[in-house]
Amino acid sequence: MAELKTGTLDRDASRKVALVTGASRGIGRSTALRLATDGYDVAVIYVGSAEPFEEVVEELRSAGACAKAYECDVSSSKEVDACVGQVLDDFGHVWTLVNNAGITRDGIMARMKDSDFDSVIAVNLKGAFNMVRALTRTFMRQRGGRIINMSSVVGIMGNAGQVNYSASKAGLIGLTKSVARELASRNVTCNAIAPGFVETAMTAGLSDATRKSYEGQIPLGRMCVPEDIAAAISFLASDEASLITGVVLPVDGGMAM
């Protein structure tokens, strides 16, 4: 493995760098914080208001990481190329990429607008492709790295009212396996996480009946929390997972088995 570069930021050269998209809350925030405690410095990507990401950056710094936020629309290859270039200038390298950015535009297929289908594919699937492509030469030069894509249980099982979202998450599985094959010779692993129902601010507002209906579909009887997903990502990013690539790891309480 080539020596990792340090970049222009004042940081500990012994720490690897993780780039996490969609890290303002939920799974992305928990992942960024977990990687910081694992010894990573962390670059986070946001779109829209910078305020939530400024809070995340402060949390990451409090955890001992060198951290910085970057505004970027991951669906735009031009923006991604520019943003990744700046991250590399600042941090020197990226060892782990977590493609977590995603959106939903749910609705039954018969009434779904083209724009709702296209925007979900553009962010969830093409966004991950843009990020991986922008970092491929870096991973190849340093002869190592970790790519972790956020799929979903609905990418495995499908879900009524989410043809666009399910298609994007199923597409990520194909992307993951193909990238794993392309980059394996350079010691770069590429894996996907497939979360089930996850405790979020949105699910906190569900009625008891709806919640019980969801939990009834989970053999282990409870929803995931973001920290469950972050723990799986932490493992796939670790040295202990160096022989694991092309895998789709469900973190769903047994929903998709």
Side-chain angles (χ1 to χ4, degrees):
M1 183 181 70
E3 182 178 353
L4 301 179
K5 297 179 181 179
T6 58
T8 59
L9 293 177
D10 183 15
R11 48 180 295 272
D12 182 347
S14 68
R15 293 171 68 94
K16 292 177 179 176
V17 177
L19 194 164
V20 182
T21 68
S24 65
R25 53 192 169 88
I27 293 170
R29 174 182 171 276
S30 293
T31 296
L33 290 171
R34 176 60 185 261
L35 292 174
T37 61
D38 287 346
Y40 275 87
D41 290 335
V42 186
V44 293
I45 286 183
Y46 72 93
V47 65
S49 173
E51 185 175 350
F53 282 88
E54 291 170 355
E55 295 174 2
V56 171
V57 166
E58 287 307 312
E59 289 182 283
L60 293 169
R61 289 172 178 167
S62 296
C66 176
K68 187 174 178 179
Y70 300 82
E71 184 175 12
C72 177
D73 175 2
V74 297
S75 69
S76 166
S77 59
K78 183 177 180 180
E79 287 194 29
V80 167
D81 289 345
C83 179
V84 167
Q86 187 61 58
V87 171
L88 293 173
D89 285 346
D90 291 342
F91 285 89
H93 77 276
V94 170
W95 184 260
T96 293
L97 167 65
V98 180
N99 282 312
N100 176 68
I103 62 172
T104 58
R105 298 287 187 270
D106 295 349
I108 62 172
M109 182 171 59
R111 298 178 183 173
M112 184 171 289
K113 298 175 182 177
D114 286 356
S115 59
D116 289 338
F117 187 90
D118 293 345
S119 61
V120 169
I121 296 296
V123 174
N124 300 4
L125 179 54
K126 189 166 186 284
F129 164 77
N130 286 337
M131 293 299 304
V132 172
R133 184 175 61 179
L135 280 166
T136 291
R137 287 186 176 84
T138 295
F139 287 135
M140 293 178 72
R141 279 196 300 268
Q142 68 195 21
R143 300 194 68 83
R146 302 283 187 266
I147 301 167
I148 302 164
N149 297 319
M150 194 60 60
S151 183
S152 169
V153 67
V154 305
I156 300 170
M157 300 171 58
N159 194 35
Q162 288 192 308
V163 294
N164 49 1
Y165 187 75
S166 297
S168 72
K169 296 302 184 178
L172 276 173
I173 293 173
L175 176 76
T176 295
K177 291 179 180 292
S178 297
V179 170
R181 289 184 179 275
E182 285 196 19
L183 299 183
S185 66
R186 296 303 180 103
N187 195 38
V188 179
T189 67
C190 185
N191 295 290
I193 301 287
F197 291 129
V198 182
E199 294 272 14
T200 63
M202 182 175 66
T203 57
L206 295 174
S207 68
D208 288 343
T210 301
R211 188 181 187 85
K212 287 180 180 178
S213 173
Y214 283 174
E215 292 175 346
Q217 301 176 50
I218 306 170
L220 286 179
R222 72 168 178 88
M223 293 186 185
C224 304
V225 294
E227 289 75 15
D228 293 324
I229 314 302
I233 291 172
S234 172
F235 168 66
L236 290 176
S238 71
D239 291 340
E240 285 78 7
S242 62
L243 204 63
I244 299 173
T245 195
V247 164
V248 182
L249 177 60
V251 185
D252 61 1
M255 277 184 67
M257 67 177 170

